[in-house]
Amino acid sequence: MNESETIFNIIKRRRSVRHFNRAKLPDEHMQQILEAGRWAPSGANAQPWRFVVVTRRETLVALAECSYYKVFKSRHVGEAGAVVVICADPAAGSQTYPLDAAIAGTNMTLMATALGIGSCWIGAFEEQNIRSLLKIPGKLMLIALIAFGYETGKASVPPRLSLSSIVHNEAYDAAGEPGIITKKKYSGALSVFGKLMRVLFNKR
Ligand SMILES: Cc1cc2nc3c(=O)[nH]c(=O)nc-3n(C[C@H](O)[C@H](O)[C@H](O)COP(=O)(O)O)c2cc1C
C-alpha cells in the first residue's frame, strides 16, 4: 500500500466505537495519540488546545454519567481505557481555537485507529459537571471528550452523502443541495417501533 492508500484506509476505518473492553491502553500508545494531537495545525500556530487525560476507572464512570449518546448516558465512556477531554484556550492567540482543538482531536482518533485502538467523540456532555469533576478552569473552553479503548464487537458504518451531492465546482449551486440520507424501511411491529424511536430521538 502506498502512503495515500494507507492514510485513506485509516480515515475510512476509523469508526465511532461504543463498546470497549475496559482494558488499559499501553502508555506508549497513549503517548503517540497525544503526540498526534500536538502536531495538529492551528491558526497562527497558537496551539490553543489543552488535553486532560483520564484513565482512573471511577473518573471514567463519573464522566459516563455526564455524557450522552443520543438520549442515553454514554456507558461506553465508563468502559474506555482512557478519555481525553479536549479544551481550548481562547487567550492563546488564535481566533480559530475551537477549530484548532477539533483538528487536534481528529489527529488523535486517526492515530488511535492506526494503533488498533477504537475511539468515540462525545460532544453531548454536561459541561459544568465535567468542569468541576476535572477542575477545568472557566478560562478554557470545553470542546469535546474523546473516549479511547479496545473495541468489543464491530461498529456499523454509518452512510456518507455522495461526493456529487456535497461538492460544488467553482461556485455554489443551490440545485445540488444534499438529500436526506435514506433510512432503512421496516414493516409491521418493527415499523411502529421505528416510528416510536424516531419520535423519541426527534428524527424524521
Ligand atoms: C463533534 C462530534 C460530536 C459527537 N458527539 C457524539 C456524542 O455526544 N455521543 C456519541 O455517542 N457520538 C458522538 N459523535 C459520533 C458521531 O455520532 C459519529 O461520528 C457519526 O455518527 C458518524 O459515525 P462514524 O464516526 O462511525 O463514522 C460525535 C462526533 C463528532 C465529530
Side-chain angles (χ1 to χ4, degrees):
M1 228 188 258
N2 64 32
E3 271 193 320
S4 70
E5 287 168 335
T6 304
I7 194 153
F8 190 52
N9 181 278
I10 293 166
I11 288 168
K12 274 189 86 175
R13 251 189 321 121
R14 183 214 51 80
R15 283 278 71 70
S16 290
V17 172
R18 298 191 180 87
H19 296 281
F20 297 118
N21 70 0
R22 290 178 164 248
K24 183 180 165 2
L25 303 174
D27 289 342
E28 62 272 24
H29 285 181
M30 254 344 272
Q31 212 53 34
Q32 277 178 274
I33 289 169
L34 293 165
E35 281 287 352
R38 187 168 79 91
W39 279 97
S42 58
N45 196 26
Q47 306 166 58
W49 41 70
R50 305 290 179 263
F51 309 131
V52 182
V53 182
V54 177
T55 56
R56 262 190 226 128
R57 185 60 54 202
E58 64 269 26
T59 317
L60 292 170
V61 169
L63 285 176
E65 282 299 309
C66 316
S67 54
Y68 294 86
Y69 172 45
K70 298 185 177 172
V71 294
F72 303 107
K73 294 269 166 86
S74 292
R75 207 179 51 178
H76 61 294
V77 169
E79 294 167 348
V83 165
V84 177
V85 180
I86 313 255
C87 305
D89 184 352
S94 145
Q95 292 183 356
T96 51
Y97 57 90
L99 294 179
D100 303 334
I103 295 166
T106 289
N107 276 11
M108 290 191 204
T109 61
L110 295 177
M111 176 59 83
T113 306
L115 292 167
I117 293 168
S119 61
C120 187
W121 280 85
I122 309 287
F125 50 80
E126 296 166 7
E127 180 174 343
Q128 285 314 322
N129 288 338
I130 291 180
R131 277 188 189 281
S132 53
L133 182 68
L134 305 181
K135 304 186 174 69
I136 297 171
K139 66 171 187 164
L140 294 185
M141 183 178 183
L142 224 161
I143 304 289
L145 282 62
I146 306 182
F148 294 97
Y150 295 110
E151 181 171 20
T152 58
K154 188 99 186 76
S156 58
V157 183
R160 293 304 198 259
L161 296 167
S162 67
L163 262 192
S164 61
S165 69
I166 56 173
V167 176
H168 298 252
N169 288 313
E170 312 302 344
Y172 193 83
D173 173 12
E177 291 285 343
I180 302 296
I181 293 176
T182 319
K183 296 267 161 44
K184 278 186 202 151
K185 296 264 182 289
Y186 297 103
S187 56
L190 269 178
S191 150
V192 176
F193 178 74
K195 274 186 193 139
L196 181 66
M197 289 291 124
R198 282 195 290 280
V199 169
L200 266 177
F201 301 138
N202 201 20
K203 292 267 167 70
R204 314 154 143 262

